[in-house]
Amino acid sequence: MTVVRQASDPPEDDLAVRFRAGDENALRQAYDRYGRAVFHLATSTLANRADAEDVTQATFVAAWLARDTFDPARGSLIGWLLGIGRRKVVDRLRVAARENRVVETVRQLPDPAPTRPDPETVVDRLVVADELARLPEDQRRMLELAFFDDLTHQQIATVTGVPLGTVKSHIRRGMASLKRRWEVDGAAPGARPAGLPGAR
């Protein structure tokens, strides 16, 4: 989509510098000038207009909060905004896919038997949740994307922008930390709580 400038619009370089400096007027001008381009990017992938509007808003919020990382010398403001927009679209698609999987899984579940859940299964799931929360943020995020969002290592690298080797390293260290905790807690060597798949 071509961005059409009005005669009254500030020069691109001036707008980019003021945006990075935290000028709120520059934020409004950037939204007026580039909001349609970001929205067009979102609607070209997302079928739901409301989702596209949410992505557009999230893009500008993320850009404003991370404005210190924008370097006008390395690229244009519109290019930087569209890059953030693409990542927000991927995030929205990932969330939608996860929601669809949950709905489909629940739909296919048999009627629950009138029995109480197995205490060991409940404890295992609590252990997993507790241990993931204790991991360093990078390791926890990689494990959640791999196991809960069902992404491959390569997909995780693409979505997060983290090198593939680093993704594998975070997952490997995270799994090792979980295994050590389970063994300390009395689990059999190599065992893992129910509900957590093995690494791919």
Side-chain angles (χ1 to χ4, degrees):
M1 177 180 179
T2 302
V3 176
V4 180
R5 286 190 56 194
Q6 303 296 325
S8 59
D9 286 344
E12 165 75 18
D13 291 345
D14 175 68
L15 177 60
V17 170
R18 289 191 296 111
F19 183 94
R20 189 180 190 281
D23 184 340
E24 293 185 2
N25 286 328
L27 171 60
R28 286 191 288 269
Q29 291 169 352
Y31 188 86
D32 290 341
R33 185 184 296 185
Y34 303 131
R36 290 183 62 188
V38 175
F39 180 71
H40 177 75
L41 168 70
T43 55
S44 67
T45 305
L46 302 172
N48 189 309
R49 181 183 178 88
D51 286 344
E53 291 174 347
D54 289 344
V55 163
T56 301
Q57 181 177 357
T59 295
F60 279 88
V61 170
W64 184 246
L65 294 177
R67 59 187 180 275
D68 289 344
T69 66
F70 170 59
D71 184 358
R74 297 183 60 184
S76 65
L77 181 57
I78 179 60
W80 187 65
L81 289 169
L82 290 176
I84 296 174
R86 291 187 188 95
R87 292 193 291 274
K88 294 300 180 183
V89 167
V90 171
D91 287 345
R92 180 59 218 167
L93 289 173
R94 180 168 57 81
V95 169
R98 181 171 57 187
E99 290 173 348
N100 289 338
R101 286 198 300 272
V102 170
V103 170
E104 187 60 28
T105 298
V106 171
R107 184 178 299 155
Q108 294 179 4
L109 288 175
D111 292 335
T115 59
R116 299 180 62 185
D118 178 14
E120 289 190 9
T121 299
V122 174
V123 171
D124 283 346
R125 290 176 181 173
L126 290 174
V127 168
V128 172
D130 180 60
E131 289 311 308
L132 283 177
R134 297 187 186 190
L135 291 176
E137 181 179 354
D138 289 338
Q139 294 178 21
R140 182 177 69 252
R141 176 162 170 75
M142 300 304 166
L143 284 173
E144 288 174 344
L145 290 172
F147 300 138
F148 298 149
D149 295 329
D150 198 28
L151 299 184
T152 66
H153 294 168
Q154 184 61 60
Q155 288 171 331
I156 294 173
T158 300
V159 168
T160 62
V162 176
L164 179 59
T166 304
V167 169
K168 293 180 178 180
S169 178
H170 283 323
I171 291 177
R172 184 168 56 252
R173 287 199 295 268
M175 289 295 295
S177 297
L178 293 177
K179 181 180 178 182
R180 284 195 299 271
R181 173 58 187 270
W182 297 333
E183 291 176 349
V184 168
D185 286 347
R192 57 180 174 82
L196 185 65
R200 289 171 293 177

